Amino acid sequence: MSAASTVKSAPARAGSEEALRKYVAELVGTFVLVLGGVGAAVLAGERIGFLGVSLAFGLSLLAMVYTVGPISGCHVNPAVTLGLLLSGKMESRHALGYVVAQCVGAIAAAGVVLLIARGAPGGYSAAVEGLASNGFGAASPEGYGVGSAFLTEVVLTFLLVLTVLGATDARSPVGFAGLAIGLMLALIHLVGIPVTNTSVNPARSLGPAVFAGGLALSQLWLFIVAPLLGGATAAAVYRTAFRPVAPITATTAERATERERLERIQGQERADSQART
């Protein structure tokens, strides 16, 4: 191999390694989110109730924002990935890898929860008890129909993705994105659990549905389409109404210092001033 080809291959290897780190971070982050949230619902739901499950999802996401956020941006959700992609806050070449990693992490976490649950006295059947899968009609915790479920998932995903976009904006306070996003996810679950068991995340829905099968799999389409629609709508509103001053990635925003944030804003203001003159 020539020296020239070695020099050319080094950046390629570095890029591949960086991409792999991002994908592993998304897999781990999604694994923790589903393990924490679905695990709380399946293993402790009767003891902690809706509030406890909502906090489990919110706290899991909050922790992962600070753990894997500096590596991948902590999307851990295909709807969030779509929203960030449409907002120009992530590179399109990584989008598919993110989604695949998220789905793998969710399925793995649901499998772990099922293995733990089967150790309970009397065992546990995912097909019978659902493994905290999402659903409507007969599969809804309170019997809500398909229309209510679809609207709930679109609106709640819109709120989650809009919070992610706003919390990682250049103008937002540095260091607080995880708190805002985690609290929003907890609030969303408080509203949505009675309706659909709350998805707002196609990967979160896919994981339990793979093991529950039956009705959970047949209704999975809603928990893919509605969250993606909500994420795309949030991106459109963010780009139109919020007019981001500087399109930075979620990963960069979560690594930024206060000084860097001010420099980004001041730099954009100078560019805007020069453009006006």
Side-chain angles (χ1 to χ4, degrees):
M1 181 181 292
S2 67
S5 62
T6 302
V7 171
K8 288 181 180 179
S9 64
R13 284 199 303 271
S16 298
E17 291 172 358
E18 178 67 17
L20 181 60
R21 284 194 290 270
K22 291 177 183 292
Y23 303 152
V24 171
E26 284 298 300
L27 189 154
V28 171
T30 311
F31 179 90
V32 172
L33 174 69
V34 175
L35 182 69
V38 172
V42 172
L43 305 175
E46 293 183 358
R47 295 176 179 272
I48 62 178
F50 286 178
L51 176 59
V53 174
S54 299
L55 289 175
F57 273 103
L59 291 173
S60 297
L61 182 57
L62 188 157
M64 287 301 98
V65 169
Y66 294 116
T67 303
V68 305
I71 302 170
S72 69
C74 191
H75 301 187
V76 300
N77 182 340
V80 171
T81 295
L82 178 63
L84 290 167
L85 178 64
L86 295 177
S87 300
K89 293 170 74 70
M90 77 167 294
E91 297 178 78
S92 60
R93 62 192 177 97
H94 292 312
L96 179 59
Y98 269 50
V99 172
V100 171
Q102 292 156 6
C103 291
V104 171
I107 293 170
V112 170
V113 173
L114 178 58
L115 287 174
I116 295 171
R118 283 177 174 171
Y124 182 93
S125 171
V128 174
E129 301 183 62
L131 199 65
S133 56
N134 302 113
F136 53 85
S140 163
E142 300 294 336
Y144 285 84
V146 62
S148 295
F150 193 89
L151 180 60
T152 298
E153 290 294 326
V154 170
V155 172
L156 294 184
T157 309
F158 168 83
L159 294 177
L160 174 63
V161 177
L162 189 63
T163 300
V164 172
L165 294 173
T168 56
D169 188 272
R171 295 162 292 192
S172 297
V174 173
F176 291 95
L179 186 61
I181 297 167
L183 288 175
M184 177 54 74
L185 187 63
L187 172 61
I188 283 169
H189 276 78
L190 287 173
V191 175
I193 286 177
V195 184
T196 64
N197 240 0
T198 309
S199 169
V200 301
N201 183 339
R204 174 264 184 267
S205 296
L206 175 65
V210 165
F211 298 98
L215 196 57
L217 272 179
S218 69
Q219 295 185 350
L220 183 61
W221 65 270
L222 186 146
F223 302 102
I224 295 174
V225 175
L228 292 178
L229 179 59
T233 304
V237 169
Y238 174 74
R239 291 183 69 95
T240 302
F242 288 75
R243 297 186 60 135
V245 296
I248 61 170
T249 67
T251 307
T252 300
E254 288 162 6
R255 283 200 300 240
T257 64
E258 180 70 13
R259 179 180 176 183
E260 289 171 336
R261 183 178 71 86
L262 293 174
E263 287 176 349
R264 286 199 302 266
I265 294 175
Q266 292 168 357
Q268 186 64 39
E269 288 174 346
R270 286 194 296 271
D272 291 342
S273 177
Q274 291 172 359
R276 285 193 295 269
T277 57

